[in-house]
Amino acid sequence: MRGERRERRRIPRSRLWGGFALVSLVLGGLGATVARAQQAKDSCIECHAALEGPLADPVALMREDIHRARGFSCADCHGGDPRSDDPLAAMDPKKGFVARPPHRAIPALCGRCHSNAEFMKRYNPALRVDQEQEYFTSVHGKRLRAGDTRVATCTSCHGAHGIRSVQHPLSPVYPLNVAETCARCHADAEYMREYRLPHDQYDRYRRSAHARALYDRQDLSAPTCNDCHGNHGAVPPGITSVAHVCGQCHVRQATLFRASPHKAAFDAMGLAECVYCHGNHDVLSPTDEMIGTGEKSVCVSCHPPGDAGYQAAERMRALLDDLSRELERARAILDRAERAGMEVSRAKFELSEARDALTHARVLIHAFSVKEVENVIRPGLEVARRGYHAGERALAELNYRRKGLAVSLLFILFLAALLYLKLREIEGPR
Amino acid sequence: MRVETWRSWLDERLGTEAVREFLRRKEVPIHRHTIWYYFGGMTLFLFVVQVVTGALLLLYYRPSAEAAFESVQFIMTEVEFGWLIRSIHSWSANLMIATLFLHMFSAYFMKAYRPPRELTWVSGTLLLFLALAFGFSGYLLPWNKLAFFATKVGTDIAGDVPVIGPFLLRFLRGGEEVTGATLTRFFGFHVAILPGVMTIVLTLHLILVQRHGMSIPPSLEGTRVRTMPFFPNFLLRDLIGWVLAIGALAALAALFPWGLGEKADPFAPAPAGIKPEWYFLFLFQTLRLLPARVGIFEGEVVGVTLFLLGGLFWMLVPFLDKPTSRGWRGRFFTGLGVFIVLYIAVMTIWGYLA
């Protein structure tokens, strides 16, 4: 009692409530697991659940939080004494209470658990424990260390309260949401001005073949920002490393390119390998027009008319066009036969060999060898021609059937007429 | 003289003179509904086409999940006139079901089931169920995608039969899922069990038709009805119909060959908008319209039970239509028949468009 009176003397009631409100305003996530709530008292949840507006938000958000589900409480991040009903005692800085951990302290705060291999093993042994270390290798981490508090830290991407597993479709770092999460800052022209960074990457990415695969086909293995830039250790890949990034998925193309004469030439000119022809954020589905000597060709940007590369490009384009044309011709005639009801599924199946050859040849372009492309195109052309002949035979067969039908119907009608005449003869006037 | 010798030789051994005498005396009534008499013979003719073409298909068909599709593909592309035989088999099956329905409803509306032809009707309805079973089992045999999933849905429905449903489902599938075991089983039903049963019931049906002769509609009873000899007058007309049916089948097979589709893949997702053959569509559409639960029962179970009871009711119509059996005009059953025909037509069109 005496101690309490002394406490009251030291802090006037109005200041006490003002301080409480101020601290509460900036209070971060408060929550506790059901298990813990049942086992131990949690005054953070009790008080903040009874409040309104932003002060109650952390409690609501924590309901979906993965940490809460694993048994963590508000005090595990914010400190303080959740067993006390006295707001001052519960949020006593002497008990380690921090209302809002400073931005630059966030990586270390999360790293307290997430960098501890022994601790993490108890919850998720598969989760890497080097995210904090990796973060400080990123541009974000380096700038944070240098005192820039506008850069992203853990909470910028994962959220502070209501953190969901990366596998949860509502998580901001779920593959379908990553680009939007990065775009919150990187598509903000105002925000990026200080860093002199472009802010159109997101718009360009959304037009790319990668984004179409991710959003339209819902192919979660399709690349989004972090697949090329890294996530915790986010850095823009440089001219020398970008090919390695693309080569993670496009292994064959990367291998062929590295073994081709272009590798040395690109290195000498300081050109980024894949990006120079295909672009980066707005990588479009490649077309045959990219090769050759036409208007949309990328080859002519370096190879002037008449040089060996120019001629090779022209020849490779002609080979691709030949097979595409033959394939289209075969497909059209087989479709026609199929629409007429002919059974051509085997021929259509065999045509897939020619399609595979065309795909293979398009990949082989990255070796920039006419001979290699020709070696693949030639058997493909054979298959496509066989498919066309199968279609021709099917249509000829259809024609034969129709003629056969006409002749058969004549006989059938003749027989029916004979039967009718016989009937007339039997039933006629006698 | 030589023919006479042969005839008497055969008569001594087989009693063929009795058959000749029967045919000489057999008569067919002539009235404004005589046209409907031809549909029974047409159904029988198409059944014979099925037997002949089915036997030919058996020369090349291989009943296993690994080979069935490829063997039908081989029949369609490599076997001389295999495409014609298979297309005729498929088209004839559908035409047979159609003429069977026409024959059945004409017999129903002409009240041909009145005494003493009750058993002719009962055997006829059994033939309808057997024909539907033929259609259902034969549909799976090419082992294509549509057939695979239609069989999955169809056997799922069979699984909803009260009490014996789960057993029936496993019995039909040869396990829990539609697999190669189902195909082998359906092949057995299609080429051995069903033809055996069909032969017995069809023979009974034909014997009863010969025994009781053609029925005339009640409205003509008591009036003087002209007749024509069955042999050769009616048979010649039948023959003209059958010859024209062969022409129609040849035209359908040549102009609209029966497709094969894609090979069944048990791991592929079911194609959208999967539907059964047209003659099951009214049943399928009804089940689709039923709510998930009807009272305390599952909707599909209620639907299947109602159809089973409906089938039983249909078979027992001669014994339930008392006024007709007593020689009065059974308006209720005529109205019921009209309702059933309209119901089947509307549900089939609805199911087709849905």
Side-chain angles (χ1 to χ4, degrees):
Chain A
M1 284 300 282
R2 195 180 291 168
E4 271 183 48
R5 263 188 235 118
R6 211 172 26 243
E7 193 74 18
R8 280 180 188 169
R9 269 202 300 275
R10 242 186 313 144
I11 306 170
R13 182 177 287 238
S14 59
R15 284 187 64 191
L16 187 143
W17 285 110
F20 174 62
L22 188 68
V23 169
S24 302
L25 256 172
V26 292
L27 192 67
L30 294 173
T33 61
V34 175
R36 277 208 179 184
Q38 284 167 349
Q39 285 164 12
K41 178 177 176 59
D42 195 331
S43 58
C44 317
I45 298 246
E46 286 170 17
C47 292
H48 279 265
L51 295 171
E52 285 178 359
L55 291 174
D57 288 348
V59 179
L61 286 167
M62 283 295 277
R63 285 193 194 108
E64 301 292 330
D65 191 277
I66 189 167
H67 297 110
R68 187 190 174 205
R70 302 285 164 95
F72 293 92
S73 74
C74 316
D76 289 312
C77 293
H78 290 277
D81 180 8
R83 288 166 304 173
S84 173
D85 279 331
D86 181 350
L88 285 177
M91 295 185 286
D92 188 351
K94 285 178 191 155
K95 291 177 181 167
F97 178 75
V98 183
R100 169 175 268 184
H103 196 67
R104 61 171 181 279
I106 296 285
L109 177 66
C110 300
R112 247 173 32 204
C113 299
H114 281 271
S115 299
N116 185 337
E118 205 178 331
F119 183 79
M120 288 308 293
K121 211 174 277 178
R122 280 187 263 156
Y123 297 94
N124 187 354
L127 200 66
R128 288 172 59 170
V129 288
D130 61 349
Q131 296 107 321
E132 185 191 355
Q133 199 185 340
E134 214 184 6
Y135 171 76
F136 283 112
T137 67
S138 73
V139 174
H140 295 143
K142 283 176 184 163
R143 291 196 71 93
L144 186 77
R145 271 215 170 121
D148 182 355
T149 54
R150 296 174 75 234
V151 293
T153 64
C154 317
T155 51
S156 315
C157 300
H158 292 275
H161 309 104
I163 295 175
R164 291 180 165 98
S165 154
V166 67
Q167 276 98 23
H168 195 293
L170 290 178
S171 163
V173 290
Y174 185 68
L176 287 171
N177 305 329
V178 166
E180 280 71 23
T181 300
C182 299
R184 285 208 307 258
C185 300
H186 284 276
D188 185 335
E190 195 59 41
Y191 207 81
M192 287 294 114
R193 185 167 295 141
E194 189 186 317
Y195 302 104
R196 291 179 189 166
L197 282 177
H199 53 86
D200 61 346
Q201 302 97 317
Y202 176 70
D203 290 336
R204 285 163 59 204
Y205 169 72
R206 288 302 300 236
R207 291 195 296 269
S208 73
H210 294 147
R212 275 212 309 280
L214 183 65
Y215 298 108
D216 299 350
R217 296 209 305 269
Q218 298 278 300
D219 177 357
L220 298 186
S221 67
T224 181
C225 312
N226 63 313
D227 291 293
C228 299
H229 293 277
N231 35 28
H232 300 104
V235 283
I239 283 172
T240 48
S241 57
V242 73
H244 297 296
V245 173
C246 305
Q248 289 179 110
C249 299
H250 302 281
V251 183
R252 179 98 173 106
Q253 288 88 335
T255 312
L256 288 167
F257 185 88
R258 275 174 217 141
S260 78
H262 274 98
K263 168 70 177 159
F266 271 53
D267 285 350
M269 288 192 284
L271 301 176
E273 299 176 4
C274 316
V275 171
Y276 184 72
C277 298
H278 294 278
N280 48 16
H281 296 104
D282 49 0
V283 176
L284 298 177
S285 294
T287 62
D288 289 344
E289 289 178 319
M290 287 175 71
I291 187 99
T293 53
E295 265 179 35
K296 293 181 182 171
S297 160
V298 290
C299 312
V300 290
S301 59
C302 295
H303 293 285
D307 90 343
Y310 187 91
Q311 285 168 5
E314 203 165 33
R315 177 72 190 130
M316 285 191 286
R317 172 66 187 276
L319 286 167
L320 290 179
D321 285 350
D322 278 353
L323 185 50
S324 299
R325 206 171 29 250
E326 284 296 321
L327 250 172
E328 182 50 34
R329 206 162 71 106
R331 196 191 55 74
I333 198 167
L334 286 172
D335 278 351
R336 221 174 103 206
E338 193 176 46
R339 276 198 301 276
M342 299 303 290
E343 171 54 36
V344 287
S345 59
R346 187 177 297 180
K348 285 190 111 178
F349 176 76
E350 281 167 4
L351 206 60
S352 61
E353 229 178 278
R355 269 193 298 276
D356 290 348
L358 185 60
T359 308
H360 190 187
R362 282 169 176 160
V363 173
L364 277 179
I365 292 294
H366 295 89
F368 308 102
S369 157
V370 175
K371 197 171 167 223
E372 283 198 46
V373 174
E374 210 165 11
N375 284 345
V376 172
I377 292 280
R378 200 165 289 142
L381 280 171
E382 279 302 306
V383 174
R385 280 168 193 152
R386 274 207 305 274
Y388 181 77
H389 293 318
E392 272 186 330
R393 278 198 306 277
L395 288 179
E397 167 76 13
L398 181 72
N399 202 26
Y400 168 74
R401 286 181 191 182
R402 285 179 176 163
K403 283 179 185 161
L405 173 70
V407 175
S408 312
L409 282 181
L410 274 179
F411 276 107
I412 286 166
L413 289 174
F414 179 66
L415 186 59
L418 283 183
L419 288 169
Y420 177 73
L421 290 175
K422 180 72 185 165
L423 190 67
R424 285 281 299 271
E425 185 192 317
I426 292 168
E427 291 183 348
R430 295 188 180 166
Chain B
M1 188 63 199
R2 201 176 165 80
V3 175
E4 283 303 314
T5 316
W6 270 107
R7 195 177 284 169
S8 67
W9 188 89
L10 278 174
D11 184 41
E12 271 176 39
R13 282 146 189 86
L14 299 172
T16 47
E17 196 47 43
V19 178
R20 280 166 53 82
E21 184 56 30
F22 173 77
L23 285 176
R24 257 198 300 273
R25 283 193 286 111
K26 188 173 165 63
E27 301 239 302
V28 177
I30 304 173
H31 50 79
R32 60 198 167 103
H33 300 301
T34 299
I35 180 89
W36 299 109
Y37 292 147
Y38 294 100
F39 285 96
M42 184 61 83
T43 309
L44 180 64
F45 171 73
L46 292 171
F47 178 71
V48 173
V49 171
Q50 287 303 94
V51 173
V52 173
T53 52
L56 289 172
L57 289 174
L58 272 179
L59 297 176
Y60 291 97
Y61 180 73
R62 283 175 289 160
S64 73
E66 294 75 31
F69 181 86
E70 285 76 8
S71 67
V72 179
Q73 201 172 42
F74 184 75
I75 289 169
M76 294 289 284
T77 53
E78 306 292 329
V79 177
E80 204 72 32
F81 290 106
W83 62 272
L84 182 67
I85 300 298
R86 195 223 163 200
S87 283
I88 286 184
H89 192 73
S90 304
W91 274 114
S92 173
N94 283 274
L95 291 184
M96 186 185 86
I97 302 271
T99 54
L100 200 157
F101 269 108
L102 286 171
H103 175 55
M104 181 181 75
F105 280 112
S106 63
Y108 180 87
F109 286 115
M110 288 200 287
K111 310 276 182 185
Y113 53 75
R114 10 190 247 287
R117 296 183 179 83
E118 297 96 324
L119 292 181
T120 317
W121 172 264
V122 172
S123 59
T125 49
L126 284 177
L127 287 173
L128 167 75
F129 300 146
L130 284 168
L132 294 178
F134 261 116
F136 186 60
S137 57
Y139 193 57
L140 178 68
L141 300 188
W143 198 245
N144 59 27
K145 203 192 230 177
L146 276 179
F148 178 83
F149 286 103
T151 305
K152 213 171 160 80
V153 175
T155 46
D156 267 338
I157 292 169
D160 287 327
V161 173
V163 187
I164 59 160
F167 164 76
L168 195 61
L169 184 137
R170 280 197 303 280
F171 173 73
L172 287 173
R173 289 182 176 178
E176 295 295 335
E177 296 295 329
V178 176
T179 60
T182 321
L183 177 69
T184 315
R185 215 160 256 232
F186 273 39
F187 176 71
F189 295 147
H190 195 75
V191 304
I193 296 168
L194 291 173
V197 180
M198 188 85 161
T199 307
I200 296 168
V201 183
L202 184 59
T203 309
L204 175 71
H205 189 72
L206 292 176
I207 288 172
L208 287 170
V209 169
Q210 300 318 314
R211 179 171 166 74
H212 299 298
M214 304 294 206
S215 159
I216 56 165
S219 56
L220 297 175
E221 261 186 346
T223 61
R224 204 160 153 254
V225 178
R226 283 191 305 129
T227 60
M228 67 171 131
F230 174 80
F231 186 85
N233 301 45
F234 188 79
L235 194 61
L236 270 174
R237 285 179 166 83
D238 256 346
L239 269 174
I240 293 172
W242 298 348
V243 166
L244 293 177
I246 289 181
L249 284 174
L252 286 169
L255 300 175
F256 309 102
W258 205 265
L260 182 57
E262 287 173 50
K263 186 177 179 171
D265 178 3
F267 300 109
I274 191 142
K275 283 173 194 160
E277 286 280 72
W278 63 270
Y279 40 86
F280 289 121
L281 213 49
F282 74 99
L283 301 171
F284 184 69
Q285 183 61 19
T286 308
L287 291 177
R288 268 173 47 172
L289 294 177
L290 280 172
R293 294 202 77 82
V294 178
I296 57 166
F297 301 105
E298 274 185 43
E300 281 212 349
V301 175
V302 173
V304 171
T305 311
L306 284 177
F307 281 129
L308 286 175
L309 292 174
L312 188 66
F313 174 85
W314 193 243
M315 195 163 73
L316 298 177
V317 156
F319 308 102
L320 299 170
D321 187 3
K322 295 287 181 197
T324 301
S325 65
R326 286 173 192 150
W328 307 331
R329 293 184 74 181
R331 285 174 193 276
F332 171 75
F333 277 84
T334 305
L336 184 70
V338 172
F339 172 76
I340 289 170
V341 169
L342 287 176
Y343 182 83
I344 291 175
V346 170
M347 282 295 169
T348 303
I349 293 166
W350 191 353
Y352 182 75
L353 297 175

